[in-house]
Amino acid sequence: MIVVTGAAGFIGSCLVSKLNSEGFNHIIVVDKFDNEEKNKNLEGKRILESIDRDDFFTWLDTVGEKVEFIFHLGARTDTAEFDKDLLSKMNTEYTKQIWEKCIQYQIPLVYASSAATYGLGEYGYDDNQENIPNLIPLNPYGESKNDFDKWAITQEQQPFFWAGLKFFNVYGPNEYHKGRMASVIMHAFNQIDKTGAMKLFRSHNPEFKDGEQMRDFVYVKDVVDVCYFLMHHRKDSAIYNLGSGKARTFLDLVKATFKAMDKKEDISFIDTPADIRDKYQYFTEANMAKLKSIGFTQEFTSLEDGVEDYVKNYLSSHSYY
């Protein structure tokens, strides 16, 4: 049995699809299952059992020895959430409980960290674990993720294999339910589809021209390929970056979206809202050397190819992966 927490969510449901495609059908999906729009992500997938996240540990205590692997992708992921107690409970403490159960039942673990832990990138974007205690996340969500990373690397007792993945800007199918938190590509598609044009945030940093703010955009299909690789690798426990390794501009992204939609470019700029302006990241790029050093040699999908696949095969028909 393979457990996927957050399984009805964006990355979780894509991972279930990947596992099914590789012949793994004894999947235990863990989530709240109280959002009908989100639950559509799991329709048609081969699943052994669905467990409410509040019942997960009780369930695990009855079948722990039979679980082969846990992917812990469930979290409170709203970067605008400011209830620190809620984030600590959902993101930090819940993950500690999973860690301890993985030790008890000798289950390997892959869990979701986040590039939000890097803050403004004062220490760069290297997944060097010595830097983790120094990082300054920009919001309580990033703090809750970094708090767990800091805890994990100091533990004397660890699962026999574990990996934390610092997801950068993941985009791709199965994020219809995410609303404001969906990827810029999905927002661009919807805006272009509705108005024929796209508005981007103006740059308020003299080092960057309008629209040339840069992010590391990574296609969700690459993300689940890395998860699948680690499920078989099961050594070199550590925290790893998971981006494409190549920063691209928002202009690149939007131009690729116009092209994939076969529409004429019409891009304008609006001021970045004042309340987020001082916390706005102008550049992120994952150093991917560490993951490559343990044998992940697959090339990451280019932004243009990823956007084309996403737009043509999913967004334009509201299809699921």
Side-chain angles (χ1 to χ4, degrees):
M1 290 190 291
I2 297 168
V3 172
V4 180
T5 74
F10 165 38
I11 299 172
S13 62
C14 289
L15 178 58
V16 173
S17 197
K18 168 70 177 176
L19 291 168
N20 281 172
S21 74
E22 298 288 351
F24 292 88
N25 303 324
H26 288 184
I27 312 289
I28 307 298
V29 295
V30 180
D31 214 307
K32 259 329 266 182
F33 305 111
D34 57 358
N35 179 333
E36 284 309 310
E37 184 66 19
K38 196 170 157 186
N39 290 342
K40 290 176 185 173
N41 286 337
L42 290 175
E43 285 178 9
K45 293 178 171 57
R46 296 187 295 283
I47 291 161
L48 188 64
E49 199 173 346
S50 301
I51 309 288
D52 186 281
R53 72 166 180 238
D54 295 334
D55 303 327
F56 176 51
F57 297 114
T58 305
W59 174 88
L60 193 56
D61 282 334
T62 64
V63 298
E65 286 82 5
K66 296 178 184 174
V67 174
E68 186 186 340
F69 208 96
I70 293 179
F71 291 100
H72 176 42
L73 304 179
R76 178 76 178 182
T77 58
D78 189 344
T79 56
E81 175 63 72
F82 286 94
D83 183 339
K84 291 190 177 186
D85 289 340
L86 176 69
L87 287 163
S88 176
K89 179 187 170 192
M90 298 293 299
N91 293 356
T92 314
E93 297 307 317
Y94 195 93
T95 313
K96 286 180 184 179
Q97 278 185 271
I98 289 180
W99 176 280
E100 282 156 4
K101 292 294 183 189
C102 286
I103 294 168
Q104 183 180 345
Y105 297 112
Q106 296 193 305
I107 305 168
L109 170 69
V110 165
Y111 74 87
S113 181
S114 171
T117 56
Y118 285 119
L120 287 172
E122 298 93 337
Y123 295 91
Y125 297 94
D126 292 345
D127 43 11
N128 176 350
Q129 289 172 201
E130 289 178 12
N131 276 341
I132 286 173
N134 303 319
L135 299 178
I136 310 165
L138 294 172
N139 52 46
Y141 163 73
E143 287 171 11
S144 72
K145 288 294 192 178
N146 202 50
D147 284 346
F148 181 78
D149 289 346
K150 286 192 289 189
W151 180 86
I153 60 175
T154 61
Q155 294 310 294
E156 285 185 20
Q157 276 200 303
Q158 303 180 347
F160 76 86
F161 169 71
W162 64 273
L165 298 176
K166 290 194 185 227
F167 296 136
F168 277 68
N169 290 67
V170 187
Y171 68 95
N174 299 13
E175 57 170 343
Y176 301 114
H177 65 283
K178 290 191 70 170
R180 195 171 53 86
M181 298 305 299
S183 71
V184 185
I185 291 133
M186 183 167 148
H187 287 302
F189 175 87
N190 289 335
Q191 198 176 126
I192 294 163
D193 192 47
K194 193 173 176 182
T195 69
M198 179 65 188
K199 291 182 168 68
L200 284 173
F201 286 151
R202 185 172 283 117
S203 172
H204 300 271
N205 180 332
E207 292 179 29
F208 293 83
K209 294 178 182 173
D210 291 344
E212 293 190 3
Q213 303 96 315
M214 301 181 86
R215 291 280 191 285
D216 190 328
F217 301 103
V218 60
Y219 199 27
V220 72
K221 291 183 181 181
D222 293 336
V223 167
V224 298
D225 283 349
V226 170
C227 290
Y228 187 72
F229 163 79
L230 290 168
M231 187 176 90
H232 292 284
H233 186 71
R234 298 193 187 195
K235 52 183 189 284
D236 305 303
S237 295
I239 293 170
Y240 295 94
N241 278 341
L242 184 39
S244 69
K246 188 167 175 53
R248 299 294 300 274
T249 70
F250 283 100
L251 272 175
D252 290 338
L253 180 153
V254 172
K255 287 178 177 182
T257 308
F258 273 108
K259 186 179 179 190
M261 294 175 73
D262 202 21
K263 291 186 181 287
K264 186 170 174 288
E265 287 177 19
D266 185 349
I267 303 166
S268 57
F269 298 94
I270 56 172
D271 283 345
T272 305
D275 62 329
I276 64 167
R277 207 175 289 176
D278 62 334
K279 294 183 175 181
Y280 187 83
Q281 293 172 304
Y282 279 82
F283 177 86
T284 68
E285 183 177 80
N287 180 342
M288 294 301 296
K290 191 169 168 185
L291 185 69
K292 289 177 180 174
S293 75
I294 65 164
F296 187 80
T297 55
Q298 184 177 313
E299 286 297 314
F300 284 84
T301 308
S302 72
L303 181 64
E304 287 75 12
D305 289 346
V307 169
E308 183 176 29
D309 184 51
Y310 185 23
V311 168
K312 290 187 173 176
N313 295 318
Y314 300 96
L315 287 174
S316 59
S317 55
H318 202 86
S319 299
Y320 293 81
Y321 174 62

